Amino acid sequence: MASETFQQHFDYVKDKPLRVTGLRIDGNLRTRDWVVEREFTAVLESQTLDELKDRLLEASGRLKDLDIFSYIDIECDAGPPGIPGSTELVVTLKEKQTTALSAGTFVQGGEGSVEATIKFRNLCGTADTYEIQVEKGSQQSSTYTISAVQPRLGGSDAEVEARVFKSEISHQKHSSYKEDFQGFSSHFRSGNHELCYELAMRQISPTLPRASKMIEKHRGPQLKSSLKHTFLFDNRDSVYRPTAGVALRMQTEVAGLGSPTANLLRFVRQELNAHVVIPLNYGLGITLAGSAGVVVPWGEGWSTQVTSISDRFFIGGPSSLRGFRTRGVGPSDARRQGKDADSKTAASSTKKPKKEIKRDYLGGDLKWTGFAALTWRLPNKYLQALDAQGQLFVDAGNVVALSGLGVDGMRKAANNVFNDFRVTTGVGITFPTRVGRIELNFCNVRQFREHDRVKQGFQFGIMPLGW
């Protein structure tokens, strides 16, 4: 009854003239006044109570997005007695602690990793953020990053970020090499767009004595100076287990900016990812996902130049092509004769040795993948509590090499990308978690090629969040 009376009174006065005469801010011990005031610029121009309500909700949301306040309260007090129909806003804030420590785990490229981050908030009182992040992988990969972010650049929705990094990424298991990467990047983000410039030195090093000849050809230093644009659209209702919506991500990268040097990488790389979720009746749904990408060198003699293995596309594994091992699809080269240190260790161990990988997977310059699934809620109450669902799916894709083949060879290889593809069908269960979507699938690989690393039967994996 009280709520109905309030609504009736609000409906009566919501369109009457209103004037906001002032803004008072309390509790911002570190945060500068103008950081808060700029979020209320539109609020101060409100001319009716209904307009004020909508703009206050927007301003409150923008303050929360700054991630520097643990408490936000906005009150409307009566304005000066001499100004009828006026109000004064009182904003009461409680700032978050300047330091925050977090840790987590994730899976990328078939490698499990642990990360720890220390964050410093609002040190300059401008909603600025500084982070130090350390990642350690199960296959001896490591990354160290220091970054600084300034949101609301010039009062707009844009933000800028500067980042310095050093990483060592191991691909020994699948491709017998590692890459050491160090440099810096700058980012500009606004709306659905991000522009990134990166300058880094990369060292490719074979990690096994038996590394293939093709891996050996990539040995050495590489200088990367690139500009990358990312467009992202996402209206899905959840990043953990979406039930409706569309997501689209498109990345364009041009490398080779600056004065030409012997080690300067020159290429153009384009990648597109799409995800569509369509709800049906009775708890059913349809999920469609796909990706496509191409990378080609540019400059003099571009058609006979070879792209770096670190810039190519790899497919295989639960995150790209189910029913195959991680990075286990596409061009490969036989490892050389002999024994690696890992093989000697396995031979002296009493444990049953793992199946030896005899080829190095090289990735490709042109790829596509497609995924379609019928999903449903599971009837078991315990599985429902985990938000688990079943899926009946078909997965397909291919990746081919283009660079170094000449124009005619590139054209021929591109024509084969849709004629010589892999196909997997299967059924499985998925569980959404904060580190990614866990999948347990039973896969039936229908089409594969010689040297593909096929995984028939049960396959366990973790899909990255959002895709």
Side-chain angles (χ1 to χ4, degrees):
M1 189 68 178
S3 61
E4 292 180 2
T5 304
F6 173 81
Q7 186 63 46
Q8 290 172 356
H9 181 69
F10 180 80
D11 292 340
Y12 176 73
V13 301
K14 68 177 183 178
D15 295 323
K16 290 190 175 184
L18 176 75
R19 181 179 175 184
V20 182
T21 58
L23 174 67
R24 189 169 75 246
I25 306 170
D26 295 326
N28 56 324
L29 303 180
R30 292 186 309 274
T31 309
R32 302 185 185 186
D33 286 347
W34 58 264
V35 173
V36 180
E37 290 170 350
R38 68 188 178 189
E39 308 301 343
F40 286 83
T41 301
V43 175
L44 297 176
E45 298 173 355
S46 302
Q47 297 182 355
T48 67
L49 184 61
D50 195 41
E51 195 174 62
L52 177 64
K53 177 202 67 173
D54 293 337
R55 292 182 178 182
L56 282 177
L57 289 173
E58 293 176 3
S60 177
R62 289 170 63 87
L63 285 178
K64 290 179 181 178
D65 291 341
L66 293 176
D67 195 31
I68 59 175
F69 301 115
S70 59
Y71 175 81
I72 301 171
D73 181 71
I74 305 173
E75 294 183 357
C76 298
D77 279 355
I83 305 178
S86 66
T87 185
E88 183 179 77
L89 302 179
V90 180
V91 181
T92 304
L93 305 168
K94 183 178 181 181
E95 296 172 327
K96 289 185 176 181
Q97 293 182 348
T98 56
T99 306
L101 182 65
S102 63
T105 61
F106 64 94
V107 176
Q108 184 174 2
E111 181 179 15
S113 298
V114 177
E115 67 175 10
T117 303
I118 183 169
K119 177 186 290 189
F120 302 95
R121 298 189 188 96
N122 206 22
L123 296 184
C124 298
T126 62
D128 47 314
T129 302
Y130 308 89
E131 285 189 1
I132 300 174
Q133 187 176 68
V134 178
E135 299 176 6
K136 289 290 186 178
S138 59
Q139 298 175 21
Q140 301 181 343
S141 295
S142 62
T143 301
Y144 306 89
T145 306
I146 301 175
S147 63
V149 180
Q150 178 60 62
R152 304 284 199 270
L153 185 65
S156 69
D157 287 332
E159 74 172 24
V160 292
E161 177 182 2
R163 187 181 300 172
V164 179
F165 56 86
K166 176 179 174 56
S167 64
E168 180 179 320
I169 303 176
S170 174
H171 302 287
Q172 175 175 312
K173 182 177 180 181
H174 311 289
S175 303
S176 300
Y177 78 95
K178 69 173 183 177
E179 53 180 314
D180 296 303
F181 213 36
Q182 52 189 343
F184 80 91
S185 61
S186 57
H187 307 254
F188 176 84
R189 305 182 185 94
S190 180
N192 297 331
H193 301 270
E194 177 180 352
L195 195 63
C196 169
Y197 173 74
E198 181 178 84
L199 179 63
M201 179 61 72
R202 183 165 62 197
Q203 176 74 34
I204 304 294
S205 305
T207 55
L208 296 177
R210 293 181 54 225
S212 66
K213 293 181 179 179
M214 293 300 295
I215 294 295
E216 286 286 351
K217 288 183 178 180
H218 289 271
R219 179 195 292 269
Q222 301 172 350
L223 177 63
K224 184 179 179 182
S225 173
S226 72
L227 190 65
K228 179 165 63 176
H229 172 260
T230 301
F231 171 80
L232 177 63
F233 172 82
D234 191 349
N235 67 358
R236 296 172 299 179
D237 54 2
S238 171
V239 296
Y240 299 105
R241 191 179 75 80
T243 59
V246 176
L248 178 68
R249 181 175 61 200
M250 182 169 60
Q251 291 184 326
T252 303
E253 183 177 19
V254 179
L257 308 180
S259 302
T261 64
N263 299 324
L264 182 66
L265 296 169
R266 287 187 171 187
F267 64 85
V268 178
R269 194 177 192 269
Q270 179 77 53
E271 186 173 14
L272 175 68
N273 294 272
H275 187 203
V276 180
V277 183
I278 305 171
L280 303 176
N281 294 328
Y282 308 109
L284 299 175
I286 294 176
T287 298
L288 304 173
S291 69
V294 61
V295 54
V296 293
W298 67 272
E300 185 177 356
W302 67 273
S303 63
T304 56
Q305 295 177 14
V306 177
T307 54
S308 169
I309 191 171
S310 296
D311 301 310
R312 294 175 181 171
F313 300 102
F314 289 83
I315 64 173
S319 63
S320 60
L321 189 58
R322 295 158 183 82
F324 295 85
R325 303 283 186 179
T326 300
R327 296 166 66 109
V329 175
S332 63
D333 190 31
R335 293 180 177 176
R336 289 173 290 183
Q337 297 295 322
K339 288 188 177 182
D340 298 322
D342 288 351
S343 300
K344 295 177 182 179
T345 302
S348 62
S349 173
T350 57
K351 296 181 180 180
K352 183 179 178 180
K354 295 181 179 179
K355 186 177 180 180
E356 183 182 4
I357 300 175
K358 298 182 179 181
R359 303 186 68 85
D360 289 326
Y361 289 84
L362 308 174
D365 306 303
L366 180 63
K367 67 108 175 190
W368 68 270
T369 63
F371 173 79
L374 175 67
T375 62
W376 63 91
R377 296 294 302 272
L378 296 171
N380 184 281
K381 64 179 182 179
Y382 300 106
L383 294 177
Q384 288 180 355
L386 295 173
D387 205 15
Q389 68 176 8
Q391 63 176 7
L392 183 66
F393 66 86
V394 58
D395 220 344
N398 199 6
V399 59
V400 298
L402 298 180
S403 59
L405 302 178
V407 175
D408 291 338
M410 293 172 68
R411 185 180 297 113
K412 183 179 179 181
N415 290 335
N416 288 333
V417 74
F418 291 108
N419 299 328
D420 191 24
F421 58 90
R422 285 75 166 170
V423 178
T424 300
T425 58
V427 63
I429 302 176
T430 68
F431 304 84
T433 70
R434 292 197 172 275
V435 299
R437 188 174 72 248
I438 297 176
E439 292 193 3
L440 178 60
N441 297 313
F442 186 85
C443 302
N444 181 11
V445 179
R446 300 298 186 92
Q447 290 183 199
F448 61 93
R449 296 293 173 265
E450 186 181 11
H451 305 312
D452 287 346
R453 296 189 66 212
V454 176
K455 179 67 173 69
Q456 296 276 18
F458 287 103
Q459 184 179 43
F460 173 85
I462 301 179
M463 288 282 291
L465 275 179
W467 300 95

